[in-house]
Amino acid sequence: MNTNRKLTIALVAHDARKADMVEWAVFNAGFLSHHHLVCTGTTGGLIRDAFLNKGIRAEITCMNSGPMGGDAEIAALVVRKQVDLAIFLIDDLSAQPHEADIQMLLRQCRIHNVPIACNRYSADLMITSSLWNDKNYVPTEPKYAPFKRN
């Protein structure tokens, strides 16, 4: 399914999930190639190489690798409302040296109401949603209660 507007989609994957992300991206290249992809460095390089090998043209911007600040760079884009959707394939079975940055990216997506998929199934559901083309659909912004000191 293609949308009527160009989305900015963040793609992030831990080392143990990179092959999975590349496979998912190639499978969904028909959709992804119509949008701007923002990736952490290594993941973006792997997706770019896979797309080139298959003759797929796509706009891909690579940030730093995750441990070198790429997760934080993407989180900053989320805060500035420059990301429409994030796909983050997380390795839940291994400790990550940059866990604080990972949690920050996930938190910023939640706070700023950016849909984030953490597995292939939810990513497939999100990119095929009819809401991307529904001009009457406006996502409701989260409402946070004012901070109160005890």
Side-chain angles (χ1 to χ4, degrees):
M1 169 183 176
N2 288 322
T3 65
N4 296 326
R5 64 186 176 107
K6 188 171 191 167
L7 304 173
T8 297
I9 303 170
L11 300 178
V12 182
H14 286 150
D15 288 347
R17 301 295 308 278
K18 288 190 189 316
D20 205 21
M21 175 63 86
V22 171
E23 183 182 294
W24 179 85
V26 168
F27 181 81
N28 290 291
F31 175 84
L32 296 174
S33 64
H34 292 91
H35 303 284
H36 176 216
L37 307 180
V38 178
C39 309
T40 47
T42 309
T43 300
L46 292 169
I47 291 169
R48 179 181 284 136
D49 291 347
F51 278 19
L52 287 173
N53 287 338
K54 301 235 180 239
I56 301 163
R57 296 172 56 119
E59 180 185 352
I60 301 173
T61 300
C62 293
M63 301 297 183
N64 284 303
S65 70
M68 299 304 293
D71 298 324
E73 288 177 302
I74 291 175
L77 294 175
V78 168
V79 170
R80 292 193 304 265
K81 307 275 188 220
Q82 295 175 337
V83 171
D84 299 295
L85 168 64
I87 312 296
F88 191 165
L89 299 186
I90 298 170
D91 175 9
D92 286 307
L93 301 179
S94 301
Q96 301 297 324
H98 58 297
E99 186 65 30
D101 291 344
I102 294 161
Q103 291 306 315
M104 178 187 54
L105 174 55
L106 296 170
R107 180 176 180 270
Q108 293 308 319
C109 286
R110 292 188 306 264
I111 288 172
H112 293 283
N113 214 28
V114 171
I116 183 162
C118 295
N119 60 48
R120 289 178 63 160
Y121 188 42
S122 59
D124 288 337
L125 290 171
M126 286 184 194
I127 67 169
T128 58
S129 173
S130 62
L131 295 177
W132 296 114
N133 288 324
D134 186 342
K135 290 182 170 90
N136 296 317
Y137 176 75
V138 178
T140 304
E141 288 294 322
K143 294 183 178 38
Y144 292 99
F147 179 73
K148 295 179 183 178
R149 291 183 182 243
N150 292 334

